[in-house]
Amino acid sequence: MMSFSKARKEDVCQITGIEGTADEEPKEQCQKEKNKMKKPNTLKIKSLIKHRKNSKSEAALTSETLLEVDLDAIEGIAYSPGDPQVECQKQKNIGKISAKIKKWQRNSKSPETPTDNAVELDFNGNLEQNRLAEAQQQLLEAEECLFSSKEVTRGKDEEDKLQMDYEIFILRLRLVIQDSFIEDNQETLKSALISIVKEEAQDRRWAEVAADQRPIWRPTRCRQFHDTLLQIIVEQRMKNADEQNNLADNLSTSLKREVFRLGKQVQKDLLRVVRNLRECYPPDFDICRLYARLYHQAFSTRLQEFSRSNISSEECLYILSWIVEYYPKDVLKYKELEEHINSSSLGPLLPEEDLERLEKQYFSYKENEIRKWLSNAFEKEVKKWSDDIEPELMDGYYFSNFALDVLPLVDGAVKDVNTLLSSEDKAWSLLNQLDSFFLSYKTSLEKLIKRNPENIPKTLSANLDNIYQFRDYVQKPEHPFSEDTRTACLSTLADLKNICHKYFLSRIHTELKPLYQKLWTKVWFAGNSEVVEELVKELENYIENFKELKPVCREELLAELHVEVMVEYVRRMMKRKLKLKDKEQQEAAAEFICHDSSKICSVFAKVGSRQEWLSQILHKLSEILKLQDPGSLQIEIVTLARDYPDISEQHVLALLNLKTNLSSSDLRKIKGCLSEIRDTLDTESPTSFFSKVLVKRKII
């Protein structure tokens, strides 16, 4: 039968630090160990454990619970199954320890180191002083004495007593580990961890010996026991997560409060592990990552329970927020934790099927929420129109909350979906609702204009601001529209703007029609300055009416008015009601054109129009009127066509027909030249002008 040899014994002495040498006789050394392990008639262990704190925050376990688990279920102490004598002895041991453990009082002091003159403590004394490493060393030495040599006769009573001491030691070890989160327990924990390391080394040595020659308690598996106990501790602390956290009181449901407490418990305990427990453990325990994995599993288990229950949409959102935002960023990536925890190795908090179910519920909720927001905001705005309620004035401008009621809510929902679901397609789907929303907006605005209520100018002024806010939102590339939806929305918004502009500008042009009709007539030619000055004065009056439009809205409206006035001027010019028979008349008309252009453009420049290019059009036309040489005239026409590709043959003929001294032959040459260069012109000009000028005359 194989047993520890003398050399083997020396190895054990080196590991465990047993005093004495392998040269001593086995009987002599055994006697030393017996003296160290000798107990008084009555075990003095009543001071080992005091009543545990009845505190949920520390997740204490009762001594009775510990006894039940340790004596009936601990795998660390192995018995030979099926042996009646062993089972009988086990029951006796349980009875003895059960009777005595109720008298234990936990001593929370740090391990005490005896002075040089102090009496060396026995096993029970070391346990009482929380010197677990020293107590375990004595167990190893006693075990060595009993099992290391065939020459030593093992008594059954001695073996049973040592077995009971191991059971007591394991119970004490459990209590110390259980108190890991108590600050004044740190030195005791260090001592316990030293004993665990030694127990693991002893288990490895006994693994090389035949099973029937090992002590019945080998292997003790203290490291496995430690890891299993940590899992129990973590689950208990999570179960009793701090209910005194006042921050959770602001949350609307009990589930939200529970999730918050669980998450905060994970953060609080992991910080204590990093700040306090990490220094107690040997590096190979990798204790920070072990605790992180256990808390991750415990948190995951609770979240799975929540996600599989009947939860509200708001609770669904809150759980997703913890999964995607708070837990990975505020807990795992907390500056003190990040370097000690490998968060990427923890895996997801929820299985894929549970996460998909939450995401589906949340997205459906957001879709319905946006639909409801848009509908409510739209109905509220249309009711104001129906009741002909005058819009508010804010900072001197007509104002409506319509866009402000809609855009922040939509944008917030889209950002939430992007953040929590990481799905561009789903964000697109939410924004698709704006397309139909703008179409409904357009239809209702057209109906409003047909009704023409009293406050419609003010209502349209306020809505122009809304339209510009909507357009600005849709145009920004950071907002995740699909290209089709973005194009459709911008098209509808352009229609909405045009509806408002048309209402304002059509009324202006109607009022100005009598003055337009005088342009390029004999009256205009005879007293040019009077007609244009009257026109400019009227324009200034109408422009003043737009002072209650937001600047960006007024600028675009006046820019459009500027273009339309110039278009009307050129259209009147090309109606050919005035014939310029000779050079003098043509030069005079050219001078009048330049004067009119300067007057009209200066009015719009004063109010912020940026359409400087319009001032060049009449000047170019005046040059054509002044030129008399057919060749020079031909060059100028070609230049005009290149600058304004949208000019047609009808426009050129109408212009040249003002010069009655131009022959038919010259007209045909110019027409031919224009036809030759037409194919080389860039028809995609950034500015379009002549296409807006309608003429009836066709070139011949």
Side-chain angles (χ1 to χ4, degrees), residues 470-594:
F470 285 132
R471 186 183 69 179
D472 183 59
Y473 181 83
V474 175
Q475 284 178 333
K476 288 183 177 178
E478 62 265 29
H479 296 144
F481 286 87
S482 67
E483 282 308 309
D484 288 345
T485 301
R486 193 189 302 275
T487 300
C489 288
L490 289 176
S491 175
T492 305
L493 289 169
D495 291 343
L496 280 163
K497 184 194 77 169
N498 291 336
I499 289 170
C500 296
H501 282 196
K502 183 179 179 181
Y503 175 85
F504 289 119
L505 300 184
S506 62
R507 281 155 178 73
I508 292 176
H509 293 310
T510 299
E511 295 295 327
L512 292 177
K513 188 174 181 179
L515 291 174
Y516 287 152
Q517 290 175 336
K518 293 180 181 180
L519 292 172
W520 280 85
T521 62
K522 291 180 180 180
V523 174
W524 169 80
F525 193 69
N528 165 262
S529 59
E530 294 179 3
V531 174
V532 173
E533 285 177 3
E534 189 177 355
L535 174 65
V536 166
K537 184 178 179 180
E538 289 297 319
L539 282 172
E540 288 175 338
N541 291 335
Y542 289 119
I543 289 172
E544 180 67 18
N545 294 334
F546 296 139
K547 65 181 180 180
E548 291 169 339
L549 272 174
K550 283 282 188 72
V552 63
C553 303
R554 183 171 65 247
E555 182 180 319
E556 287 199 26
L557 179 63
L558 295 181
E560 189 169 335
L561 177 60
H562 189 179
V563 172
E564 291 184 359
V565 169
M566 298 299 282
V567 165
E568 185 62 22
Y569 186 97
V570 174
R571 190 179 75 83
R572 293 289 172 177
M573 176 181 178
M574 291 184 176
K575 289 190 75 171
R576 296 177 303 108
K577 288 188 175 181
L578 185 65
K579 297 294 184 180
L580 304 175
K581 298 178 181 180
D582 52 34
K583 177 182 177 181
E584 288 74 16
Q585 287 185 342
Q586 292 167 17
E587 288 179 347
E591 185 178 344
F592 293 161
I593 291 176
C594 293

Side-chain angles (χ1 to χ4, degrees), residues 273-439:
V273 169
V274 169
R275 292 168 180 170
N276 302 326
L277 301 188
R278 179 170 56 92
E279 296 180 355
C280 299
Y281 277 83
D284 65 294
F285 275 72
D286 202 5
I287 194 61
C288 293
R289 294 187 181 182
L290 174 58
Y291 265 112
R293 177 173 57 80
L294 294 174
Y295 274 101
H296 182 83
Q297 291 173 348
F299 195 25
S300 173
T301 299
R302 297 299 299 278
L303 290 183
Q304 287 180 53
E305 294 173 2
F306 295 147
S307 67
R308 294 169 186 174
S309 61
N310 185 22
I311 61 176
S312 69
S313 297
E314 288 187 3
E315 291 169 337
C316 172
L317 167 60
Y318 193 69
I319 292 175
L320 282 174
S321 298
W322 267 96
I323 293 171
V324 177
E325 287 283 301
Y326 308 144
Y327 181 68
K329 297 178 182 178
D330 297 342
V331 177
L332 299 183
K333 294 295 183 181
Y334 191 80
K335 59 183 178 180
E336 287 187 65
L337 299 179
E338 186 174 5
E339 63 178 296
H340 303 291
I341 296 174
N342 182 13
S343 58
S344 61
S345 67
L346 297 176
L349 268 177
L350 284 185
E352 186 174 349
E353 59 271 19
D354 291 328
L355 185 60
E356 286 180 354
R357 184 171 56 254
L358 286 181
E359 289 178 343
K360 184 177 180 180
Q361 179 182 352
Y362 169 69
F363 181 68
S364 177
Y365 163 68
K366 278 299 177 185
E367 275 191 316
N368 292 331
E369 191 174 48
I370 286 182
R371 192 175 295 112
K372 181 174 68 175
W373 289 339
L374 293 177
S375 176
N376 289 345
F378 184 69
E379 289 177 4
K380 180 181 176 182
E381 184 69 15
V382 171
K383 188 174 188 308
K384 291 180 182 177
W385 302 348
S386 300
D387 296 342
D388 199 22
I389 297 175
E390 182 176 329
E392 299 177 38
L393 271 173
M394 182 176 290
D395 298 327
Y397 309 117
Y398 284 113
F399 171 79
S400 166
N401 285 316
F402 190 29
L404 289 179
D405 287 344
V406 170
L407 290 178
L409 296 175
V410 172
D411 190 57
V414 170
K415 287 179 179 177
D416 287 345
V417 167
N418 255 338
T419 300
L420 298 180
L421 306 185
S422 299
S423 172
E424 191 176 60
D425 289 343
K426 286 185 169 59
W428 285 359
S429 180
L430 291 181
L431 289 173
N432 284 345
Q433 295 190 47
L434 286 179
D435 185 18
S436 56
F437 169 73
F438 291 148
L439 288 172

Side-chain angles (χ1 to χ4, degrees), residues 114-133:
T115 63
D116 293 339
N117 298 327
V119 177
E120 187 175 4
L121 297 174
D122 62 7
F123 172 73
N124 288 316
N126 279 319
L127 284 185
E128 289 175 1
Q129 296 299 323
N130 294 322
R131 303 174 75 235
L132 272 71

Side-chain angles (χ1 to χ4, degrees), residues 111-154:
E112 296 181 5
T113 303
T115 63
D116 293 339
N117 298 327
V119 177
E120 187 175 4
L121 297 174
D122 62 7
F123 172 73
N124 288 316
N126 279 319
L127 284 185
E128 289 175 1
Q129 296 299 323
N130 294 322
R131 303 174 75 235
L132 272 71
E134 289 78 0
Q136 186 264 351
Q137 179 66 46
Q138 290 171 334
L139 291 179
L140 286 180
E141 292 169 357
E143 180 180 282
E144 185 74 10
C145 181
L146 284 178
F147 291 91
S148 64
S149 175
K150 294 180 180 180
E151 299 178 18
V152 178
T153 302
R154 293 197 301 269

